């Protein structure tokens, strides 16, 4: 692993700085799945305000132990007040803060605060009382951070809970986009950077493991295929840390990886009651591990809903590693396994599915920045019946408003996009009833002369190269 460097997160830092500069009490809820970089972001922010920031990480121990760990950080920040080391309860801390005169801003960061909730069911009501009576009147910026997404959302957003209505800002930290992830690999070509992102996704810790002075192959062997590699058992570790009944969640992911994409086929493969399957699918969606889709422009309907694995590394793990773990555990070298199982054809087929997500992200940025002929109301995949040709069609990416449609094809192949594929793209447009139609071709290997001849001078067509994905916006 390379030395830790702070990459990206400028918008998030700007929000933290804005709340820091506020002249009133602020309470930020920072949440997101494990490994997404919450603590690293807060650590960087704290380093910018080291003199007046209390950075406390809770653990699973009792109230007394956590209070003493907190007061140790508080004493360091305030440079004195030795007697606070004797505090054993959070009420002691709140009473002390009540008596404190604060000329300068005091930042209090409580990381993994859900551990405090789990060890003391009354912690949230005590904190709510302290906010209302004490903290709200102080020059304090309070940050609560945690990884148990469902617990955090229930604690702060449920109107029946004590902390409801107390937050002044909310930040859900998401994985890096493919463009943000590019900064981890300055030594890679755009294509290698895309391959690394397709394998690792946008989790900062995973991205930091790959060394761009090594080849993609060497990095995958060292980090993913070797039993000593950090990522070899990471998916199982993540499921155990995030979820109960990990076996059932794993069964759902295996079913989706094996091709089960509708609710009914997933339910049949895992063999559980529909209500339980729906609940657990919802948890995986909330964590960003799987994705739920309906055809772009249609209202959500269970019978026309498809599920896929959203997280790149989870997808890579179940596609190439999970069922071969016994073999990799001493029966074949990681190098030989890579040569046999991660052939160029298999790897390119895998990246092709991830490539669609990259292209969708690129399109969203274009719409966001007003660089397309219309403003989309919806964007995503589409599938359904072609009423003209009487056959089923799939559109890689469709964007719509009331009068316009953008139909996009994504090709991650070594062959250029050809005339037959252009005709297929035009045929798929017959399914979409809009006054104006625009076409976008994402192609790793460009287009053929025949395609160029047909679309040259037609402003409704646009071709996006690999270079443009990273360097045009």
């Amino acid at each position: 692993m390379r030395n830790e460097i702070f990459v990206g997160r400028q918008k998030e830092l700007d929000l933290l700085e804005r709340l820091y500069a506020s002249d009133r009490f602020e309470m930020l809820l920072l949440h997101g799945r494990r490994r997404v970089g919450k603590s690293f972001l807060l650590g960087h922010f704290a380093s910018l305000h080291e003199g007046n920031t209390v950075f406390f990480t809770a653990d699973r121990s009792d109230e007394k132990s956590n209070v003493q760990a907190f007061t140790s950080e508080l004493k360091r920040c305030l440079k004195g007040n030795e007697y606070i080391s004797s505090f054993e309860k959070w009420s002691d801390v709140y009473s002390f803060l009540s008596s404190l005169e604060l000329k300068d801003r005091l930042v209090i960061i409580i990381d993994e605060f859900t551990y405090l909730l789990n060890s003391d069911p009354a912690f949230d009501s005590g904190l709510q009382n302290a906010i209302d009576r004490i903290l709200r009147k102080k020059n304090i910026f309070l940050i609560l951070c945690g990884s148990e997404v469902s617990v955090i959302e229930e604690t702060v957003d449920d109107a029946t809970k004590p902390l409801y209505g107390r937050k002044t800002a909310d930040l859900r930290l998401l994985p890096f986009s493919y463009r943000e992830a590019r900064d981890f690999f300055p030594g890679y070509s755009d294509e290698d950077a895309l391959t690394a992102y397709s394998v690792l996704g946008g989790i900062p810790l995973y991205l930091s493991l790959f060394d761009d002075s090594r080849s993609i192959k060497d990095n995958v062997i060292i980090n993913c295929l070797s039993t000593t590699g950090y990522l070899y058992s990471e998916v199982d570790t993540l499921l155990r840390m995030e979820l109960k009944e990990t076996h059932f969640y794993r069964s759902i992911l295996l079913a989706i990886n094996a091709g089960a994409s509708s609710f009914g086929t997933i339910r049949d493969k895992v063999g559980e009651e529909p209500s339980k399957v729906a609940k657990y699918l919802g948890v995986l969606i909330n964590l960003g591990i799987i994705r739920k889709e309906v055809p772009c422009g249609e209202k959500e309907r269970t019978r026309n809903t498809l599920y896929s694995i959203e997280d790149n590394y989870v997808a890579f793990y179940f596609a190439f590693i999970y069922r071969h773990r016994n073999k990799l555990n001493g029966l074949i070298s990681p190098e030989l396994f890579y040569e046999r199982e991660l052939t160029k054809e298999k790897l390119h087929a895998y990246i092709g599915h991830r490539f669609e997500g990259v292209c969708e992200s690129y399109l969203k940025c274009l719409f966001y920045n007003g660089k397309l002929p219309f403003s989309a109301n919806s964007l995503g995949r589409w599938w359904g019946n072609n009423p003209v040709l009487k056959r089923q069609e799939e559109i890689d990416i469709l964007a719509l408003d009331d009068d316009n449609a953008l139909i996009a094809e994504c090709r991650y192949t070594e062959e250029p996009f050809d005339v037959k594929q252009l005709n297929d793209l035009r045929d798929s447009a017959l399914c979409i009833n809009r006054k104006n139609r625009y076409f976008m071709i994402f192609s790793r290997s460009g287009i053929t002369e025949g395609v160029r001849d047909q679309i040259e001078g037609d402003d409704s067509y646009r071709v996006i190269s690999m270079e443009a994905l990273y360097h045009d916006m």
Side-chain angles (χ1 to χ4, degrees), residues 429-448:
L430 299 173
C431 306
I432 309 303
N433 183 23
R434 291 295 188 275
K435 179 181 177 181
N436 305 307
R437 295 191 184 103
Y438 303 91
F439 299 90
M440 193 167 283
I441 299 165
F442 293 91
S443 177
R444 173 193 175 210
S445 303
I447 59 177
T448 64

PDB file of all heavy atoms in Angstrom, residues 429-448:
ATOM      1  N   ALA A 429     -34.190   2.888 -30.972  1.00  0.00           N
ATOM      2  CA  ALA A 429     -34.835   4.192 -30.805  1.00  0.00           C
ATOM      3  C   ALA A 429     -36.306   4.151 -31.195  1.00  0.00           C
ATOM      4  O   ALA A 429     -37.086   5.029 -30.783  1.00  0.00           O
ATOM      5  CB  ALA A 429     -34.105   5.244 -31.629  1.00  0.00           C
ATOM      6  N   LEU A 430     -36.714   3.151 -31.959  1.00  0.00           N
ATOM      7  CA  LEU A 430     -38.118   3.023 -32.352  1.00  0.00           C
ATOM      8  C   LEU A 430     -39.013   2.768 -31.144  1.00  0.00           C
ATOM      9  O   LEU A 430     -40.227   2.979 -31.208  1.00  0.00           O
ATOM     10  CB  LEU A 430     -38.279   1.896 -33.367  1.00  0.00           C
ATOM     11  CG  LEU A 430     -37.517   2.061 -34.696  1.00  0.00           C
ATOM     12  CD1 LEU A 430     -37.638   0.790 -35.533  1.00  0.00           C
ATOM     13  CD2 LEU A 430     -38.034   3.277 -35.468  1.00  0.00           C
ATOM     14  N   CYS A 431     -38.418   2.316 -30.037  1.00  0.00           N
ATOM     15  CA  CYS A 431     -39.193   2.029 -28.828  1.00  0.00           C
ATOM     16  C   CYS A 431     -39.541   3.282 -28.048  1.00  0.00           C
ATOM     17  O   CYS A 431     -40.411   3.254 -27.161  1.00  0.00           O
ATOM     18  CB  CYS A 431     -38.394   1.090 -27.907  1.00  0.00           C
ATOM     19  SG  CYS A 431     -37.826  -0.439 -28.673  1.00  0.00           S
ATOM     20  N   ILE A 432     -38.855   4.375 -28.358  1.00  0.00           N
ATOM     21  CA  ILE A 432     -38.963   5.566 -27.528  1.00  0.00           C
ATOM     22  C   ILE A 432     -39.732   6.647 -28.290  1.00  0.00           C
ATOM     23  O   ILE A 432     -39.273   7.146 -29.320  1.00  0.00           O
ATOM     24  CB  ILE A 432     -37.565   6.088 -27.133  1.00  0.00           C
ATOM     25  CG1 ILE A 432     -36.724   4.950 -26.549  1.00  0.00           C
ATOM     26  CG2 ILE A 432     -37.690   7.240 -26.159  1.00  0.00           C
ATOM     27  CD1 ILE A 432     -37.343   4.265 -25.347  1.00  0.00           C
ATOM     28  N   ASN A 433     -40.888   6.997 -27.772  1.00  0.00           N
ATOM     29  CA  ASN A 433     -41.769   7.955 -28.435  1.00  0.00           C
ATOM     30  C   ASN A 433     -41.478   9.368 -27.944  1.00  0.00           C
ATOM     31  O   ASN A 433     -42.058   9.841 -26.968  1.00  0.00           O
ATOM     32  CB  ASN A 433     -43.230   7.581 -28.174  1.00  0.00           C
ATOM     33  CG  ASN A 433     -44.199   8.504 -28.895  1.00  0.00           C
ATOM     34  OD1 ASN A 433     -43.834   9.138 -29.901  1.00  0.00           O
ATOM     35  ND2 ASN A 433     -45.415   8.597 -28.389  1.00  0.00           N
ATOM     36  N   ARG A 434     -40.545  10.035 -28.631  1.00  0.00           N
ATOM     37  CA  ARG A 434     -40.223  11.414 -28.308  1.00  0.00           C
ATOM     38  C   ARG A 434     -40.037  12.195 -29.612  1.00  0.00           C
ATOM     39  O   ARG A 434     -39.632  11.640 -30.635  1.00  0.00           O
ATOM     40  CB  ARG A 434     -38.945  11.522 -27.469  1.00  0.00           C
ATOM     41  CG  ARG A 434     -39.063  10.986 -26.046  1.00  0.00           C
ATOM     42  CD  ARG A 434     -40.052  11.806 -25.230  1.00  0.00           C
ATOM     43  NE  ARG A 434     -40.046  11.440 -23.808  1.00  0.00           N
ATOM     44  CZ  ARG A 434     -40.742  10.448 -23.269  1.00  0.00           C
ATOM     45  NH1 ARG A 434     -41.515   9.675 -24.060  1.00  0.00           N
ATOM     46  NH2 ARG A 434     -40.700  10.215 -21.972  1.00  0.00           N
ATOM     47  N   LYS A 435     -40.312  13.481 -29.550  1.00  0.00           N
ATOM     48  CA  LYS A 435     -40.211  14.333 -30.732  1.00  0.00           C
ATOM     49  C   LYS A 435     -38.784  14.395 -31.255  1.00  0.00           C
ATOM     50  O   LYS A 435     -38.541  14.325 -32.466  1.00  0.00           O
ATOM     51  CB  LYS A 435     -40.720  15.742 -30.377  1.00  0.00           C
ATOM     52  CG  LYS A 435     -40.651  16.740 -31.522  1.00  0.00           C
ATOM     53  CD  LYS A 435     -41.159  18.110 -31.061  1.00  0.00           C
ATOM     54  CE  LYS A 435     -41.035  19.138 -32.188  1.00  0.00           C
ATOM     55  NZ  LYS A 435     -41.503  20.483 -31.730  1.00  0.00           N
ATOM     56  N   ASN A 436     -37.831  14.568 -30.363  1.00  0.00           N
ATOM     57  CA  ASN A 436     -36.422  14.691 -30.753  1.00  0.00           C
ATOM     58  C   ASN A 436     -35.615  13.531 -30.182  1.00  0.00           C
ATOM     59  O   ASN A 436     -35.774  13.187 -29.005  1.00  0.00           O
ATOM     60  CB  ASN A 436     -35.833  16.012 -30.240  1.00  0.00           C
ATOM     61  CG  ASN A 436     -36.633  17.215 -30.688  1.00  0.00           C
ATOM     62  OD1 ASN A 436     -36.891  17.383 -31.876  1.00  0.00           O
ATOM     63  ND2 ASN A 436     -37.039  18.043 -29.733  1.00  0.00           N
ATOM     64  N   ARG A 437     -34.753  12.955 -31.024  1.00  0.00           N
ATOM     65  CA  ARG A 437     -33.904  11.851 -30.568  1.00  0.00           C
ATOM     66  C   ARG A 437     -32.445  12.194 -30.821  1.00  0.00           C
ATOM     67  O   ARG A 437     -32.085  12.670 -31.899  1.00  0.00           O
ATOM     68  CB  ARG A 437     -34.263  10.549 -31.283  1.00  0.00           C
ATOM     69  CG  ARG A 437     -35.663  10.014 -30.992  1.00  0.00           C
ATOM     70  CD  ARG A 437     -35.794   8.602 -31.540  1.00  0.00           C
ATOM     71  NE  ARG A 437     -37.133   8.067 -31.376  1.00  0.00           N
ATOM     72  CZ  ARG A 437     -38.032   7.978 -32.339  1.00  0.00           C
ATOM     73  NH1 ARG A 437     -37.719   8.413 -33.557  1.00  0.00           N
ATOM     74  NH2 ARG A 437     -39.212   7.466 -32.114  1.00  0.00           N
ATOM     75  N   TYR A 438     -31.624  11.926 -29.804  1.00  0.00           N
ATOM     76  CA  TYR A 438     -30.178  12.123 -29.909  1.00  0.00           C
ATOM     77  C   TYR A 438     -29.493  10.796 -29.599  1.00  0.00           C
ATOM     78  O   TYR A 438     -30.028   9.966 -28.855  1.00  0.00           O
ATOM     79  CB  TYR A 438     -29.705  13.197 -28.919  1.00  0.00           C
ATOM     80  CG  TYR A 438     -30.391  14.524 -29.102  1.00  0.00           C
ATOM     81  CD1 TYR A 438     -31.558  14.826 -28.395  1.00  0.00           C
ATOM     82  CD2 TYR A 438     -29.888  15.475 -29.980  1.00  0.00           C
ATOM     83  CE1 TYR A 438     -32.204  16.038 -28.563  1.00  0.00           C
ATOM     84  CE2 TYR A 438     -30.527  16.701 -30.151  1.00  0.00           C
ATOM     85  CZ  TYR A 438     -31.683  16.969 -29.439  1.00  0.00           C
ATOM     86  OH  TYR A 438     -32.317  18.178 -29.609  1.00  0.00           O
ATOM     87  N   PHE A 439     -28.319  10.615 -30.192  1.00  0.00           N
ATOM     88  CA  PHE A 439     -27.606   9.349 -30.039  1.00  0.00           C
ATOM     89  C   PHE A 439     -26.177   9.604 -29.543  1.00  0.00           C
ATOM     90  O   PHE A 439     -25.526  10.556 -29.985  1.00  0.00           O
ATOM     91  CB  PHE A 439     -27.549   8.599 -31.373  1.00  0.00           C
ATOM     92  CG  PHE A 439     -28.904   8.241 -31.925  1.00  0.00           C
ATOM     93  CD1 PHE A 439     -29.579   9.117 -32.775  1.00  0.00           C
ATOM     94  CD2 PHE A 439     -29.507   7.046 -31.580  1.00  0.00           C
ATOM     95  CE1 PHE A 439     -30.826   8.794 -33.278  1.00  0.00           C
ATOM     96  CE2 PHE A 439     -30.758   6.716 -32.082  1.00  0.00           C
ATOM     97  CZ  PHE A 439     -31.417   7.587 -32.938  1.00  0.00           C
ATOM     98  N   MET A 440     -25.739   8.734 -28.646  1.00  0.00           N
ATOM     99  CA  MET A 440     -24.382   8.830 -28.147  1.00  0.00           C
ATOM    100  C   MET A 440     -23.748   7.444 -28.203  1.00  0.00           C
ATOM    101  O   MET A 440     -24.348   6.458 -27.763  1.00  0.00           O
ATOM    102  CB  MET A 440     -24.361   9.382 -26.727  1.00  0.00           C
ATOM    103  CG  MET A 440     -22.975   9.804 -26.249  1.00  0.00           C
ATOM    104  SD  MET A 440     -23.033  10.785 -24.716  1.00  0.00           S
ATOM    105  CE  MET A 440     -23.556  12.380 -25.347  1.00  0.00           C
ATOM    106  N   ILE A 441     -22.552   7.392 -28.764  1.00  0.00           N
ATOM    107  CA  ILE A 441     -21.827   6.132 -28.909  1.00  0.00           C
ATOM    108  C   ILE A 441     -20.578   6.187 -28.036  1.00  0.00           C
ATOM    109  O   ILE A 441     -19.676   6.994 -28.278  1.00  0.00           O
ATOM    110  CB  ILE A 441     -21.428   5.884 -30.374  1.00  0.00           C
ATOM    111  CG1 ILE A 441     -22.669   5.803 -31.263  1.00  0.00           C
ATOM    112  CG2 ILE A 441     -20.581   4.616 -30.499  1.00  0.00           C
ATOM    113  CD1 ILE A 441     -22.359   5.918 -32.755  1.00  0.00           C
ATOM    114  N   PHE A 442     -20.554   5.353 -26.993  1.00  0.00           N
ATOM    115  CA  PHE A 442     -19.356   5.208 -26.163  1.00  0.00           C
ATOM    116  C   PHE A 442     -18.597   3.990 -26.682  1.00  0.00           C
ATOM    117  O   PHE A 442     -19.116   2.870 -26.651  1.00  0.00           O
ATOM    118  CB  PHE A 442     -19.727   4.977 -24.702  1.00  0.00           C
ATOM    119  CG  PHE A 442     -20.383   6.152 -24.036  1.00  0.00           C
ATOM    120  CD1 PHE A 442     -21.769   6.291 -24.037  1.00  0.00           C
ATOM    121  CD2 PHE A 442     -19.627   7.116 -23.391  1.00  0.00           C
ATOM    122  CE1 PHE A 442     -22.380   7.361 -23.406  1.00  0.00           C
ATOM    123  CE2 PHE A 442     -20.230   8.194 -22.754  1.00  0.00           C
ATOM    124  CZ  PHE A 442     -21.608   8.321 -22.772  1.00  0.00           C
ATOM    125  N   SER A 443     -17.404   4.195 -27.170  1.00  0.00           N
ATOM    126  CA  SER A 443     -16.660   3.075 -27.761  1.00  0.00           C
ATOM    127  C   SER A 443     -15.196   3.137 -27.381  1.00  0.00           C
ATOM    128  O   SER A 443     -14.518   4.135 -27.650  1.00  0.00           O
ATOM    129  CB  SER A 443     -16.801   3.085 -29.285  1.00  0.00           C
ATOM    130  OG  SER A 443     -16.033   2.048 -29.852  1.00  0.00           O
ATOM    131  N   ARG A 444     -14.739   2.068 -26.763  1.00  0.00           N
ATOM    132  CA  ARG A 444     -13.331   1.966 -26.390  1.00  0.00           C
ATOM    133  C   ARG A 444     -12.427   2.053 -27.607  1.00  0.00           C
ATOM    134  O   ARG A 444     -11.335   2.627 -27.549  1.00  0.00           O
ATOM    135  CB  ARG A 444     -13.119   0.639 -25.668  1.00  0.00           C
ATOM    136  CG  ARG A 444     -11.671   0.311 -25.356  1.00  0.00           C
ATOM    137  CD  ARG A 444     -11.544  -1.146 -24.949  1.00  0.00           C
ATOM    138  NE  ARG A 444     -10.155  -1.518 -24.751  1.00  0.00           N
ATOM    139  CZ  ARG A 444      -9.688  -2.742 -24.954  1.00  0.00           C
ATOM    140  NH1 ARG A 444     -10.496  -3.701 -25.365  1.00  0.00           N
ATOM    141  NH2 ARG A 444      -8.417  -3.016 -24.746  1.00  0.00           N
ATOM    142  N   SER A 445     -12.865   1.494 -28.730  1.00  0.00           N
ATOM    143  CA  SER A 445     -12.018   1.397 -29.928  1.00  0.00           C
ATOM    144  C   SER A 445     -12.496   2.277 -31.072  1.00  0.00           C
ATOM    145  O   SER A 445     -12.148   2.044 -32.238  1.00  0.00           O
ATOM    146  CB  SER A 445     -11.947  -0.069 -30.384  1.00  0.00           C
ATOM    147  OG  SER A 445     -11.460  -0.896 -29.341  1.00  0.00           O
ATOM    148  N   GLY A 446     -13.304   3.283 -30.776  1.00  0.00           N
ATOM    149  CA  GLY A 446     -13.733   4.212 -31.813  1.00  0.00           C
ATOM    150  C   GLY A 446     -14.804   3.640 -32.718  1.00  0.00           C
ATOM    151  O   GLY A 446     -15.522   2.706 -32.352  1.00  0.00           O
ATOM    152  N   ILE A 447     -14.922   4.195 -33.918  1.00  0.00           N
ATOM    153  CA  ILE A 447     -15.948   3.783 -34.872  1.00  0.00           C
ATOM    154  C   ILE A 447     -15.293   3.466 -36.214  1.00  0.00           C
ATOM    155  O   ILE A 447     -14.191   3.919 -36.512  1.00  0.00           O
ATOM    156  CB  ILE A 447     -17.012   4.888 -35.061  1.00  0.00           C
ATOM    157  CG1 ILE A 447     -16.351   6.194 -35.558  1.00  0.00           C
ATOM    158  CG2 ILE A 447     -17.775   5.113 -33.763  1.00  0.00           C
ATOM    159  CD1 ILE A 447     -17.332   7.312 -35.848  1.00  0.00           C
ATOM    160  N   THR A 448     -16.006   2.685 -37.025  1.00  0.00           N
ATOM    161  CA  THR A 448     -15.492   2.343 -38.355  1.00  0.00           C
ATOM    162  C   THR A 448     -15.710   3.516 -39.318  1.00  0.00           C
ATOM    163  O   THR A 448     -16.483   4.440 -39.046  1.00  0.00           O
ATOM    164  CB  THR A 448     -16.199   1.101 -38.912  1.00  0.00           C
ATOM    165  OG1 THR A 448     -17.592   1.398 -39.087  1.00  0.00           O
ATOM    166  CG2 THR A 448     -16.035  -0.089 -37.980  1.00  0.00           C
TER     167      THR A 448
END
